[in-house]
Amino acid sequence: MASRLDQIEYDALEMMATGGKGGTLELAAVPTFATRWLLPRMPAFIDTHPDIAVNLTAMPRPFMFDATGFDASLHAGPAPWPGTAGDLLMQESVIAVASPKLVASRTQPTRADWRRYRLLQQSTRPYAWREWFAAQGLEMEGDLAGPRYELFSMLAEAASSGIGIALIPRLLVEDELSRGTLVQVGRYEHPTGNAYFLIYPEAKAESSTLAAFREWLSGEARRYNENIAHMAQSRGARHHRRAP
């Protein structure tokens, strides 16, 4: 009886959210990606699909769709989890960032420099700094030490405040980089092997509401990837011109 009443309440709220027409998409998402990348782009979806309400809930880890009311999930990981289908949006790479008050823009730190800085850690990726240094042929003492933060948004704020240097996916700190509250430390950008996916149960793949969101999101991701590729080429050209 209680579950039936809950469903009636949910249906009523959905009708109120959509004005009695269109549809509702229940979307789970990794928190920082949702706030930093998705939400700034959502007005464009709302303009073209005013009859679709997208409800957003933070879900940082995989879950079983059957146990929830979610239609889809924005997930960061190596691949979709079993029993789901997924649309690849973009690959993930991380850069070292810090406040310009702490580190000069795009300085290439030496081994001695790194020992002077406090390394900010992401609690769900405890070996991120070790992998970062190893990919550059470096072995650094204390690479697991430093204050830990659960969300990339917390890391970005801590780095902006001058607490230390953080490793963060570039796509999550583009605003801070453009405003100058964060600068990239060095030129190295490390591919993590993770990617961002829109994941959904195979049974819902034909949903018209989900299909509309998938089509729009794929277009946004494609434009983003093209823009990133263009900027990378521009940075490479500038670096080549400066090289002796």
Side-chain angles (χ1 to χ4, degrees), residues 155-185:
L155 274 174
E157 189 62 33
S160 299
S161 300
I163 296 174
I165 302 179
L167 283 179
I168 304 178
R170 178 185 290 278
L171 64 92
L172 302 183
V173 288
E174 289 175 332
D175 185 53
E176 288 88 346
L177 291 171
S178 64
R179 289 188 286 111
T181 57
L182 284 175
V183 294
Q184 183 174 346
V185 182

Side-chain angles (χ1 to χ4, degrees), residues 7-221:
Q7 184 62 46
I8 292 172
E9 181 181 13
Y10 175 84
D11 292 343
L13 290 172
E14 180 175 348
M15 183 172 292
M16 292 170 64
T18 61
K21 58 182 180 179
T24 299
L25 184 70
E26 295 293 339
L27 183 64
V30 284
T32 307
F33 182 80
T35 56
R36 298 296 183 93
W37 192 90
L38 177 65
L39 286 176
R41 292 168 168 80
M42 279 301 296
F45 179 78
I46 294 170
D47 286 345
T48 55
H49 299 88
D51 57 336
I52 297 178
V54 179
N55 297 332
L56 195 60
T57 301
M59 290 288 283
R61 294 175 179 82
F63 57 89
M64 298 299 292
F65 277 100
D66 289 346
T68 73
F70 293 122
D71 300 303
S73 175
L74 286 170
H75 168 70
W81 56 87
T84 65
D87 299 339
L88 174 63
L89 302 177
M90 61 204 67
Q91 300 291 334
E92 181 187 78
S93 60
V94 295
I95 58 175
V97 293
S99 165
K101 297 177 182 178
L102 184 68
V103 180
S105 178
R106 297 188 71 79
T107 337
Q108 193 63 40
T110 64
R111 182 185 295 269
D113 290 332
W114 281 115
R115 291 194 181 101
R116 294 191 296 108
Y117 297 130
R118 181 183 291 110
L119 303 181
L120 307 181
Q121 308 286 342
Q122 219 269 357
S123 57
T124 61
R125 302 187 185 187
Y127 298 103
W129 276 109
R130 180 161 295 179
E131 293 168 359
W132 161 273
F133 288 124
Q136 300 174 80
L138 298 173
E139 186 174 335
M140 200 69 59
E141 294 180 4
D143 56 3
L144 302 181
R148 299 187 178 279
Y149 302 88
E150 183 178 5
L151 301 179
F152 280 122
S153 57
M154 297 176 180
L155 274 174
E157 189 62 33
S160 299
S161 300
I163 296 174
I165 302 179
L167 283 179
I168 304 178
R170 178 185 290 278
L171 64 92
L172 302 183
V173 288
E174 289 175 332
D175 185 53
E176 288 88 346
L177 291 171
S178 64
R179 289 188 286 111
T181 57
L182 284 175
V183 294
Q184 183 174 346
V185 182
R187 292 180 293 273
Y188 181 60
E189 188 160 343
H190 179 61
T192 64
N194 285 335
Y196 289 83
F197 294 88
L198 177 68
I199 296 177
Y200 44 88
E202 294 177 353
K204 293 192 176 183
E206 302 305 318
S207 160
S208 59
T209 300
L210 178 58
F213 185 75
R214 288 176 59 197
E215 181 180 7
W216 170 80
L217 188 64
S218 294
E220 290 295 317

